[in-house]
Amino acid sequence: MKLLRKSCILIMTAAVILSSGCSFDSEYNCEFFAMDTVMTISAYGSKSESAVKAAQNEINRLDKLLSVQRENSEIYRLNRLKEMTVSEDTLTLITRSKEIYTLTDGAFDISCEPLIREWGFYSGLENKVPSQQAIENALKGVGAAHINIENSRVKLDENTSLDLGAVAKGYASRKASEILKENGVSSALMSLGGNVRAVGSKPDGESWSVAITNPDDNSKSIGTLKISDKAVVTSGGYQRYFEENGQIYHHIIDTKTGHPADSGLKSVTVVSEDDTLADALSTSLFVMGLEKSKEFYSQNSLLFGAVFITHKGEIFVTDNLNDSFMSKQDFEVISV
Ligand code: ADP
Ligand code: MG
């Protein structure tokens, strides 16, 4: 049911994006399920069909490699064996994730797997609030210091397991966009779950319009971003959650506490040329909250832009998105 709801939301998001006034010749659209979510790719030009198929194959290949739940994925095996030589893609992503852990002061933490498991956010498990003892046990293996990399060999400490759920779609969208370009497509829009990637501009040369979902009503948007050749990634507490005793518990965990991040934000949308970073940062800034994110932005404004929606419904936008963000609602600009 939960998954179904998420799928519907994503289809709606994609529909908003794709209804932004495009109807061009040699357009090829494709919708498929991968990485636990619905994905859409729309590409333009005479080579679009074969290019989209190649991009889809690449996403499926990465899903088989990086999924935490698919038996025999590399991550699945690494989590059981604790020491293994991994492929170049897996190695790149684990190495990058460790760097982003340091960059975000631990807000982004792929060693969250035991915590996600305790809260029951993997399919086949039951959502539940874990005991404090269970959280403390899970926390024993959490933190990037428990992940050791030597050449292409990854070694995890005894209590450590990895979950690349917060970066895999970003990495996949970068790889897929490279494949589209290599196969002759210079204009495309992809939505891999909440991860949108624009390849070039629209066929008429205009920027793409990407809607930001209203966290309180997923059929509506709170504004749009005009972008070309960039990734736009949203993380929100509304995307995957359960309710117990009137309290909402969502799937983005603050690994410093072991509990769902309670930072006063409903969603964070990150814009960057770097898809992997955009995906990792949307999760990280959601954990950090607005004040820490402002500080982080002042030090890293060349790397990304962001739109924040707070629990009070306020919208904050970083100043480097001033020209591309549009909303009927008032919003406050965050300056460097
Ligand atoms: P989604 O993948 O649902 O669009 P995110 O990119 O924000 O949203 O990723 C959330 C997923 O990342 C969770 O389902 C979990 O698997 C994992 N995760 C949760 N908390 C963290 C965290 N602090 N750092 C890294 N990964 C996390
Ligand atoms: Mg993410």
Side-chain angles (χ1 to χ4, degrees):
M1 184 59 208
K2 206 171 46 195
L3 191 64
L4 190 67
R5 183 168 48 215
K6 186 167 185 188
S7 305
C8 293
I9 292 165
L10 295 170
I11 291 167
M12 256 159 4
T13 309
V16 171
I17 294 158
L18 299 176
S19 68
S20 54
C22 320
S23 171
F24 301 97
D25 289 340
S26 5
E27 169 181 347
Y28 185 76
N29 296 302
C30 160
E31 184 179 303
F32 57 102
F33 194 85
M35 296 190 164
D36 211 18
T37 189
V38 177
M39 304 194 166
T40 58
I41 305 180
S42 297
Y44 302 87
S46 57
K47 296 175 184 151
S48 54
E49 181 169 350
S50 55
V52 168
K53 284 182 176 155
Q56 187 183 348
N57 285 342
E58 174 66 357
I59 293 167
N60 286 329
R61 183 186 73 82
L62 290 169
D63 190 9
K64 286 194 191 120
L65 211 57
L66 304 172
S67 164
V68 65
Q69 290 206 273
R70 267 175 187 263
E71 280 188 34
N72 294 322
S73 79
E74 257 184 8
I75 293 299
Y76 184 94
R77 281 184 287 137
L78 175 63
N79 284 345
R80 273 145 196 86
L81 296 172
K82 304 296 178 198
E83 184 170 353
M84 202 175 118
T85 300
V86 296
S87 66
E88 206 182 318
D89 290 303
T90 305
L91 186 68
T92 304
L93 210 41
I94 295 176
T95 308
R96 189 83 204 279
S97 296
K98 278 196 71 163
E99 288 164 7
I100 300 174
Y101 175 92
T102 307
L103 181 74
T104 61
D105 192 22
F108 182 74
D109 190 343
I110 57 166
S111 67
C112 60
E113 197 268 0
L115 291 164
I116 308 294
R117 187 166 293 285
E118 278 303 330
W119 287 91
F121 281 115
Y122 293 127
S123 52
L125 299 182
E126 206 178 316
N127 287 138
K128 62 167 186 342
V129 179
S131 68
Q132 195 51 35
Q133 186 58 52
I135 288 178
E136 276 160 30
N137 274 344
L139 282 170
K140 283 181 191 156
V142 172
H146 298 287
I147 309 167
N148 300 290
I149 303 171
E150 251 175 64
N151 302 318
S152 56
R153 223 168 157 72
V154 179
K155 189 172 179 297
L156 306 178
D157 286 349
E158 191 188 343
N159 298 309
T160 303
S161 292
L162 307 184
D163 175 340
L164 297 177
V167 263
K169 292 196 294 278
Y171 185 72
S173 80
R174 185 175 76 82
K175 293 293 243 183
S177 68
E178 280 168 8
I179 286 187
L180 289 177
K181 286 180 197 160
E182 280 162 21
N183 283 275
V185 166
S186 55
S187 174
L189 193 67
M190 294 190 272
S191 170
L192 316 189
N195 291 48
V196 175
R197 154 50 80 167
V199 175
S201 305
K202 290 202 289 190
D204 62 4
E206 294 281 311
S207 301
W208 300 99
S209 267
V210 178
I212 299 180
T213 303
N214 181 338
D216 295 323
D217 181 352
N218 300 319
S219 67
K220 297 199 174 117
S221 80
I222 58 99
T224 54
L225 283 159
K226 289 262 180 211
I227 52 139
S228 298
D229 249 328
K230 282 194 171 65
V232 180
V233 183
T234 298
S235 284
Y238 64 92
Q239 288 175 329
R240 204 175 275 229
Y241 63 88
F242 67 95
E243 207 174 324
E244 198 174 298
N245 297 327
Q247 177 93 24
I248 302 276
Y249 300 95
H250 58 71
H251 70 317
I252 300 176
I253 305 289
D254 181 347
T255 57
K256 292 197 170 80
T257 64
H259 286 257
D262 184 17
S263 64
L265 293 175
K266 276 189 181 164
S267 79
V268 181
T269 299
V270 172
V271 181
S272 176
E273 273 153 33
D274 181 337
D275 307 56
T276 312
L277 185 72
D279 198 0
L281 286 188
S282 68
T283 311
S284 317
L285 301 182
F286 185 87
V287 172
M288 284 184 204
L290 186 64
E291 291 313 312
K292 269 198 192 160
S293 293
K294 282 182 180 172
E295 226 172 275
F296 184 81
Y297 175 65
S298 67
Q299 286 148 16
N300 298 285
S301 60
L302 296 179
L303 296 180
F304 75 100
V307 179
F308 301 87
I309 303 171
T310 69
H311 272 303
K312 290 184 197 152
E314 306 146 315
I315 305 173
F316 290 82
V317 183
T318 57
D319 57 2
N320 55 4
L321 294 179
N322 226 347
D323 296 336
S324 48
F325 180 72
M326 266 156 286
S327 177
K328 285 183 185 148
Q329 280 175 246
D330 289 341
F331 58 90
E332 201 172 304
V333 175
I334 300 171
S335 306
V336 177

